[in-house]
Amino acid sequence: MRRGRSLLSTALATVVVAATVVLPAAAAPLAGCSGTNDGDVAIGDNTTVESPITITDCPSAPSATATVPVKIVHTYIGDLQVSLVAPDGSAYVLHNRSGGSTDNIDQTYTVDLSGETSNGTWKLRVNDNAANDVGRIDTWSLNLGGSTPANDFSVAVSPTSGSVAAGSSASTTVQTRTTAGQAQTVQLTATGLPSGATASFNPAAVTTGSSSTLTISTAASISNGTYPITVTATGATTKTATYTLTVTGGTGPSIPDIDVAAVKQHLTQLNTIATQNGGNRRSTTAGYRASVTYVKDKLTAAGFTVTEQPCTSGCSTGAGPNVIAEWPGGNANNVYMFGAHLDSVTAGPGINDNGSGSASLLETALVLSRTNPSMLNKVRFAWWTDEEQGLNGSRFYVSQLPSTERAKIKTYHNFDMIASVNGGYFINNISSAQSTHMKAYWDSLGLQPEENTEGRNRSDDASFTNAGIPASGYAMGASATKTSAQATKWGGTAGRAFDPCYHQSCDTTANISDTHLNRAVDGIAYTLWKSAVSSTPGADFSVSVSPSSGSVTAGSSATATVGTQTVSGDPQTVQLSASGLPSGATASFSPASVTTGSGSTLTISTTASVANGTYPVTITATGTGSRTATYTLTVTGGGGGSCNGTNPNDVAIPDAGAAVDSDVVISGCSATPSGSAAVAVKIVHPYIGDLTVALIAPDGSSYTLHNRTGGSGDNIDQTYTVNLSGEAPNGTWKLRVRDLAAADVGNIDTWTLTLTP
């Protein structure tokens, strides 16, 4: 999110966060409210590690003066950030890179944990933010303190899950138990119900120790899917249990649950990109351009129509492009846009701000591709450049839209900072029609979202609302301070920033709340499916090959049957192709295209010179989507392999565009690649200072050969020496070339890989 206050005020806030006050240890804790972990955990350079303590039997709430004794062995504690992470993901900074070159931490910190729940897994998280010094977590303890146990209870459901046909109902027993003090009356409610389902309790209030029957009724129009229903019992405190409801036979669109672990994999990659490119992903840097490549490559492979839109006016000099991706199908006159800015500030990698929004949109788009539903309306995704410098990328995009195209965009949804560790639940224009689905999803979780006043006109939704296009969006908060009322409602720490690492170097993968991220990305999917997906199943198909493997003597051929099936919708025509064949082998299909439900004969023919080996051949069927199967081909009696290869085919290098690859397949090489392998490259280009050139190994490892050197020199005709001794020889090697500036084009002319000179 774009900065909304002066650099001086931000710097002062940073000083306050970094200061650590060490107070005397609290009184001895109650039994079950403390723990120690004395297992050593190594702290490597530029890494984040955690040490857990699980509290299971604490009968009271944590104290406002809980204590955390910490012993860390490290030779330069000015490199370290140390935080206590509560079971709900809230993080409390204990030590923030103070102490300079002093070695070791041996301190007891006092923390106000009165807003937290005692039981669960607590973590000591240590982040080493610089190179040259390592250490270890030696031991640490957690003393939650607390008062005399108050009246308390537990709640459970039995059974914990059930399946129901749409239009019918399911029931379970809600059981309560008095765990401390006296029995009390608790009110029962349920949240997380899908649209078209209602819940009732009989009775709706019970005295702890008693039970109630929960009945969930569904309409025929409900969407198929699996839904975690939260059952809440509210008395002196609030307790919850989860009932998992599976709905079948519904007529509504099936809304997927987005895997937060997959979103975090994208965040890890964005963090790595920043680390490899100067520590940030600012719009004008190689880190941003690498982020663009990562997102674009994923989307292109998934079947999206992807465009890099250069920002030719209003953006910072040298800013990279916007990325626009559109999914096929749906009414093109009703466009629903989902966007997030992809750039970071210079100070850090920007993983919450705004890797969280970017990664969530990317994974939602990939799930849309995999499920391939029938589309009612058009879906368009956008990743914006230069947001941190003034919302420039999104403003440029909107300015270039003709009025007829603006009118087609029914809603723009924005996602900026949606995983803040001390986060709240905020929606832009919460009471508007365009926020209906977003609010409905969070309401189903009982989150009581609020208007995003802090983010007003500070993120890319402003570019759309200023142009008269309705906009909404999710946010979890930036540098604003969480109030006591918000902490009571949402958890976390009152008086502390929603994101204590806002626009700082510590905005890494350690600065992410999984809980907030998961609730946001599932809300994105809910909003997309409700806005644009049809309730009628889309046309889909599957492909298989039988047998799935075969052996052939070099010079002969092997055959297999490729089968297709219509999975949903109407049958369709699909084109068949094969890839991954060794040099000297060809594939043919009879017929080359089939209607789903029919089959084709695959014939793989080999020459006598084909190399011995085993090759996974990918069979691809392309229709409304692409589906694949694998045939494993084993070749014997061949002429042996080679440890060298050449690709003489020209590959055009687009101006200021996406990276292009030229492949060399090595097969049958029995030698280990050399520490001085040779890569001879000939590239025709009038300004080689625009180019990056890399060798990509079969396992994905990248070796930079040329990185924008040479200025206005034309053409590359050079042999590079590369240490490939750690690589396996056989597989597909790629020469990857990218043009990073405008005005000049060229082509890869030829290149040769010699693994064993």
Side-chain angles (χ1 to χ4, degrees), residues 480-558:
T481 301
K482 178 174 280 189
T483 66
S484 296
Q486 290 169 334
T488 298
K489 180 167 61 171
W490 295 325
T493 305
R496 184 166 174 263
F498 292 107
D499 180 1
C501 287
Y502 174 61
H503 283 189
Q504 299 179 49
S505 61
C506 58
D507 188 11
T508 65
T509 50
N511 189 45
I512 292 293
S513 165
D514 290 5
T515 298
H516 289 83
L517 183 65
N518 189 44
R519 289 169 173 172
V521 72
D522 285 341
I524 293 171
Y526 182 89
T527 301
L528 188 156
W529 259 255
K530 286 292 186 181
S531 300
V533 173
S534 172
S535 59
T536 302
D540 200 4
F541 64 95
S542 64
V543 64
S544 60
V545 59
S546 178
S548 59
S549 62
S551 180
V552 62
T553 302
S556 301
S557 60

Side-chain angles (χ1 to χ4, degrees), residues 425-463:
Y425 296 94
F426 301 105
I427 299 178
N428 305 340
N429 305 313
I430 191 170
S431 60
S432 64
Q434 59 266 24
S435 299
T436 298
H437 297 315
M438 306 181 76
K439 184 175 184 298
Y441 182 76
W442 275 2
D443 283 347
S444 75
L445 302 179
L447 298 179
Q448 303 175 62
E450 298 178 1
E451 176 65 38
N452 182 20
T453 55
E454 180 192 17
R456 183 173 293 126
N457 293 321
R458 288 178 59 186
S459 195
D460 294 296
D461 56 295
S463 299

Side-chain angles (χ1 to χ4, degrees), residues 58-134:
C58 184
S60 59
S63 169
T65 55
T67 57
V68 188
V70 176
K71 290 185 178 182
I72 293 176
V73 177
H74 197 278
T75 52
Y76 199 104
I77 65 173
D79 291 355
L80 302 182
Q81 184 187 60
V82 183
S83 301
L84 175 69
V85 182
D88 67 354
S90 300
Y92 299 82
V93 176
L94 308 178
H95 172 92
N96 196 3
R97 303 192 69 176
S98 58
S101 60
T102 306
D103 57 357
N104 304 339
I105 295 175
D106 187 357
Q107 293 192 37
T108 297
Y109 301 90
T110 299
V111 188
D112 181 357
L113 300 179
S114 57
E116 297 291 344
T117 299
S118 296
N119 296 311
T121 298
W122 299 75
K123 299 175 183 178
L124 189 75
R125 178 180 292 161
V126 181
N127 183 14
D128 186 312
N129 290 282
N132 300 324
D133 298 280
V134 297

Side-chain angles (χ1 to χ4, degrees), residues 619-651:
I619 311 302
T620 301
T622 304
T624 55
S626 292
R627 300 291 181 261
T628 62
T630 300
Y631 177 79
T632 303
L633 174 70
T634 300
V635 179
T636 60
S642 172
C643 296
N644 309 321
T646 298
N647 190 329
N649 300 317
D650 288 357
V651 178

Side-chain angles (χ1 to χ4, degrees), residues 20 27 85 96 101 156 334 354 366 432 459 479 518 604 633 640 679 722 757:
T20 300
V85 182
N96 196 3
S101 60
N334 295 328
N354 183 38
L366 297 180
S432 64
S459 195
S479 58
N518 189 44
I604 300 178
L633 174 70
V679 188
V722 187

